[in-house]
Amino acid sequence: MHLARFPRIALGHFPTPLEKMPRLSAALGGPTLYIKRDDCTGLATGGNKTRKLEFLVADAIKQGADMLITQGATQSNHVRQTAAAAILVGMKCRALLERRVTTMPASYESTGNVLLDDILDCPYEFRPGGVDMNKEGMALTEKLRAAGGKPYFIPGGGSNPIGALGYASCVQELTYQADQQNLRIHRIVHATGSAGTQAGLVAGLHALNAPIEVIGVSVRAKRETQIDNVHRLAAQTSELLGARGDLPRNLIQVIDDHVGAGYGQASEDGIAAIRMLARTESILLDPVYSAKGMAGLIAMVRAGKFKKDENIVFLHTGGASALYAYESLLAAPRQKDGGTAAAAR
Ligand SMILES: *Cc1c(COP(=O)(O)O)cnc(C)c1O
């Protein structure tokens, strides 16, 4: 693995911190929990898409593009980080937003990440839930190309082998930090959606021959489907990295019991995880992804899935900018005077 072979531009603050979570570990009474702060990559509030975009945007530049086209759900962190990346390289950005969530107040389509898309000057168009968004995005890209533009299409979540290189790179950063801290990591737990993060992690660990287990907590797909998606992309990424040997399917571990009512719908255990992490470590999660990842970690610790002497790293993939779009589900009950009561929490 020699990542400097691939074009890359700097978009974020790296390395992100690797820190112990002493209060959460004590509250749960299981293994020692650490956190890799990829919510702190800095790119217009940051998140896991920043690492992928360092490779994707460099590829766009190499291909002579002057515009980035991408797609995501309404509250997409990926779209917001792509809009931010475009500014830094002097490109335009256009996005398609899928209405996957239909149960939220109207402000869902104007606050949180959507507001940041506005501020970052990224025009977006909505599409109904359930359409093939990558197909829509490619159609828009072709239309712009036919009109004489130089658009570069980035798939949803930046999840293709080039984007996944970002998480192979994260593996190098993380194992270096762990070596410096004399910390043996047994497992990494994180939220998995479009599969690029987990695929990059697994391909990177495989290339480094590092025996660290990765557990993806699905935010959308059923376990078998998500394992297929991650494995396919991990195998392609491994090939791009030039790693020796096939990437075994049994390296892909996924749990799917924390999706709740569906993608983008806040779950009860996710909301409990948001409150628990905020009130033990002052770290903010988001309802769509990282809260479900953390709910998975908390449930596995409580179920005794890990030994007490293990060190588990939660990869915080970001997303807290979406919190404001979920105000109706997260706000404390109001008193008559507008304040909130301690007893009501
Ligand atoms: C995109 C995203 C994920 C999921 O990462 P994938 O690479 O799409 O699997 C997790 N957390 C947050 C906050 C995200 O924005």
Side-chain angles (χ1 to χ4, degrees):
M1 189 154 95
H2 181 40
L3 290 171
R5 288 179 293 146
F6 303 101
R8 179 178 189 170
I9 54 159
L11 292 172
H13 304 317
F14 297 109
T16 59
L18 171 64
E19 291 164 344
K20 206 182 240 180
M21 296 193 283
R23 289 156 294 261
L24 181 67
S25 305
L28 292 172
T32 308
L33 303 176
Y34 289 78
I35 189 162
K36 175 69 172 158
R37 299 291 307 267
D38 272 15
D39 58 320
C40 299
T41 63
L43 187 60
T45 74
N48 65 336
K49 304 313 181 301
T50 306
R51 289 189 193 270
K52 301 177 182 186
L53 288 163
E54 291 205 328
F55 290 94
L56 290 163
V57 176
D59 189 53
I61 293 170
K62 191 175 126 195
Q63 299 196 16
D66 62 7
M67 184 187 274
L68 302 176
I69 314 295
T70 197
Q71 60 93 355
T74 301
Q75 283 296 330
S76 173
N77 302 296
H78 164 69
V79 166
R80 182 248 310 153
Q81 286 165 86
T82 303
I87 289 168
L88 297 183
V89 296
M91 291 192 198
K92 292 199 161 56
C93 185
R94 293 269 299 267
L96 298 178
L97 300 179
E98 181 189 1
R99 288 188 161 116
R100 280 193 212 166
V101 180
T102 52
T103 51
M104 298 295 286
S107 64
Y108 192 75
E109 293 191 354
S110 58
T111 186
N113 280 306
V114 185
L115 175 62
L116 300 187
D117 296 339
D118 288 338
I119 293 171
L120 294 164
D121 195 23
C122 174
Y124 45 82
E125 289 168 36
F126 285 97
R127 293 285 186 271
V131 304
D132 183 338
M133 289 296 286
N134 278 336
K135 202 170 140 202
E136 294 284 316
M138 284 188 285
L140 173 63
T141 306
E142 283 322 309
K143 201 174 102 185
L144 292 165
R145 200 188 315 279
K150 293 176 194 151
Y152 179 92
F153 179 63
I154 298 178
S159 286
N160 62 17
I162 295 175
L165 291 177
Y167 273 86
S169 165
C170 178
V171 161
Q172 287 188 317
E173 183 181 300
L174 178 64
T175 52
Y176 180 77
Q177 282 174 314
D179 291 345
Q180 295 285 304
Q181 296 179 25
N182 206 7
L183 166 70
R184 165 156 189 210
I185 299 171
H186 295 81
R187 302 169 217 257
I188 300 168
V189 176
H190 70 94
T192 178
S194 68
T197 301
Q198 189 168 5
L201 289 173
V202 172
L205 288 164
H206 182 60
L208 290 184
N209 220 351
I212 300 174
E213 202 175 283
V214 180
I215 304 174
V217 183
S218 179
V219 301
R220 185 180 197 187
K222 283 277 172 215
R223 181 171 170 273
E224 284 299 316
T225 309
Q226 189 65 7
I227 289 175
D228 286 346
N229 293 342
V230 174
H231 183 235
R232 193 180 320 113
L233 184 51
Q236 291 167 353
T237 308
S238 186
E239 200 180 317
L240 182 61
L241 284 170
R244 238 164 272 166
D246 286 344
L247 189 128
R249 193 171 187 277
N250 65 10
L251 291 182
I252 316 300
Q253 296 204 45
V254 170
I255 62 169
D256 66 1
D257 5 42
H258 301 276
V259 177
Y263 175 87
Q265 314 228 32
S267 57
E268 211 170 298
D269 61 350
I271 288 177
I274 289 175
R275 296 198 169 121
M276 187 171 198
L277 190 67
R279 294 166 192 192
T280 52
E281 303 292 344
S282 294
I283 295 173
L284 301 174
L285 299 167
D286 79 293
V288 184
Y289 294 100
S290 53
K292 291 181 178 178
M294 179 54 79
L297 174 60
I298 291 170
M300 287 187 284
V301 171
R302 286 186 171 146
K305 227 186 119 39
F306 312 124
K307 295 202 195 81
K308 229 185 130 92
D309 62 358
E310 284 187 22
N311 298 312
I312 315 281
V313 173
F314 179 72
L315 172 66
H316 191 337
T317 43
S321 297
L323 276 173
Y324 308 101
Y326 288 83
E327 179 191 346
S328 59
L329 303 173
L330 290 162
R334 297 273 140 191
Q335 304 275 86
K336 272 211 190 72
D337 69 357
T340 67
R345 292 154 195 252

